């Protein structure tokens, strides 16, 4: 790295050795296509006269495990304010990002050297903190930038409304009772990511391939690319649509649907020139909530495929970053 106090860890001409992943884990970006089969669902069409969006959500959840929503009702100003304050946070001097962590550690900032997989670091920085209950969480968030708490709390309020709306559509699609998810869903965690440009993205990764342990995850990625999903054994780029949310099915919803929905593997690859910033909100069950296949979806032809488990126990079984695939596999009932 260049020796200059004004430069940051990513201001390099070549990728340092401890950021180079093995060939089987490396990202590929420029030579694979944007997937045009990932559904883009217009929520403005959801009304009492058409079931089109519900059917589209159901089909996407079954076939891919991921879709994008537009005309979702979240004000554009709320989105812009949230992304702007995220940019401000990651642009602050390092002493401001790392030197003001509360003693209770209610938020966690990690730079590229704080996490390593087999000794290799991710090409990203990350900030995460709890969001539930919101009124008790907000005062414990970062105090810099000064408008962070205001902008992000307004964003989370909108995510709460949108997530309940999407989950209610899923209820109708699966034939579950209205409000089935009301006592099973909380906007628990917000995770913001900063992926700076990389001299050689073919050697690095922003986030390792993983599944989310959530019910659903709502991701706002602005206009930046880099998100990839594993579809039919191939990594596919997910396009960036202005003001859209990416919604992906998490492990818990796969369990509740008794395997009808798919929790998809995804990752983030880096870019030579583009800076990616994203805001992910994880809609999870409460820690003590018991998650199991919905009884209405279980019958002689569709027997129970997953063990009942408290959400906190499920997560505790595998704490490794991005390795909830194993936890999901452990939840599957043996055929014997």
């Amino acid at each position: 790295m260049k020796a200059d106090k004004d430069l940051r860890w990513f201001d390099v001409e070549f990728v340092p050795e401890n950021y180079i992943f093995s060939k089987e884990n490396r990202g590929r970006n420029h030579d694979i296509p944007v997937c045009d089969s990932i559904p883009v669902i217009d929520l403005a069409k959801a009304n009492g006269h058409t079931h089109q969006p519900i059917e589209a959500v159901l089909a996407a959840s079954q076939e891919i495990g991921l879709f994008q929503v537009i005309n979702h009702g979240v004000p554009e100003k709320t989105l812009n304010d949230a992304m702007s304050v995220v940019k401000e946070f990651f642009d602050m001097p390092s002493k401001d990002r790392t030197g003001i962590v509360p003693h209770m550690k209610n938020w966690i900032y990690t730079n590229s050297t704080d996490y390593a997989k087999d000794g290799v670091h991710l090409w990203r920085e990350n900030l995460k903190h709890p969001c539930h209950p919101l009124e008790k969480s907000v005062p414990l968030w970062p105090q810099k930038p000064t408008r962070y708490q205001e902008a992000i709390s307004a964003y989370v309020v909108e995510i709460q409304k949108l997530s309940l709306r999407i989950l209610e559509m899923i209820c109708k699609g699966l034939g579950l009772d209205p409000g089935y998810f009301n006592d099973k869903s909380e906007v628990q965690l917000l995770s913001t990511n900063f992926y700076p440009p990389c001299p050689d993205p073919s050697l690095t990764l922003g986030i390792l391939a993983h599944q989310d342990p959530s019910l659903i995850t709502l991701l706002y990625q602005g206009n930046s690319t880099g998100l990839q999903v594993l579809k039919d054994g191939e990594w596919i780029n997910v396009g960036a649509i202005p003001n859209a949310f990416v919604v992906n099915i998490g492990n818990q919803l796969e369990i509740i649907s008794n395997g009808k929905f798919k929790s998809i593997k995804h990752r983030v690859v880096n870019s030579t020139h583009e800076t990616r910033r994203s805001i992910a909100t994880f809609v999870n069950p409460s820690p003590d909530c018991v998650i199991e296949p919905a009884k209405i979806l279980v019958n002689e032809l569709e027997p129970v495929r997953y063990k009942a488990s408290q959400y906190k126990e499920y997560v505790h079984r595998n704490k490794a970053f991005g390795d909830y695939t194993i936890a999901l596999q452990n939840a599957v009932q043996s055929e014997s």
Side-chain angles (χ1 to χ4, degrees), residues 151-299:
I152 297 301
S153 60
Y155 178 86
V156 172
V157 167
E158 294 296 334
I159 294 297
Q160 289 174 330
K161 293 188 289 187
L162 179 58
S163 64
L164 284 174
R165 184 180 177 190
I166 292 172
L167 287 171
E168 194 61 23
M169 295 171 72
I170 288 172
C171 273
K172 293 179 180 178
L174 287 174
L176 303 177
D177 292 335
Y180 180 89
F181 292 104
N182 287 358
D183 61 348
K184 296 180 176 65
S185 64
E186 301 170 352
V187 181
Q188 284 186 358
L189 182 70
L190 182 139
S191 177
T192 63
N193 293 290
F194 165 64
Y195 308 91
C198 175
D200 187 352
S202 68
L203 302 177
T204 64
L205 274 176
I207 290 184
L208 291 161
H210 66 284
Q211 294 170 307
D212 290 345
S214 58
L215 278 168
I216 58 174
T217 303
L218 276 67
L219 175 72
Y220 180 61
Q221 55 181 355
N223 296 326
S224 58
T225 60
L227 177 64
Q228 296 183 338
V229 296
L230 188 63
K231 185 174 183 290
D232 300 325
E234 298 289 337
W235 286 106
I236 302 296
N237 283 321
V238 177
I241 300 175
N243 298 324
F245 280 98
V246 177
V247 182
N248 70 276
I249 303 302
N251 293 167
Q252 306 311 305
L253 194 49
E254 178 172 326
I255 292 171
I256 289 171
S257 72
N258 202 32
K260 288 182 170 59
F261 287 0
K262 306 301 179 187
S263 178
I264 193 169
K265 266 194 172 184
H266 52 286
R267 69 182 185 184
V268 171
V269 297
N270 303 112
S271 169
T272 306
H273 304 292
E274 183 180 14
T275 296
R276 174 181 171 85
R277 298 179 186 86
S278 65
I279 307 173
T281 39
F282 298 89
V283 183
N284 302 333
S286 64
D288 294 327
C289 185
V290 175
I291 299 298
E292 61 185 336
K295 291 179 173 54
I296 195 173
L297 302 178
V298 176
N299 53 52

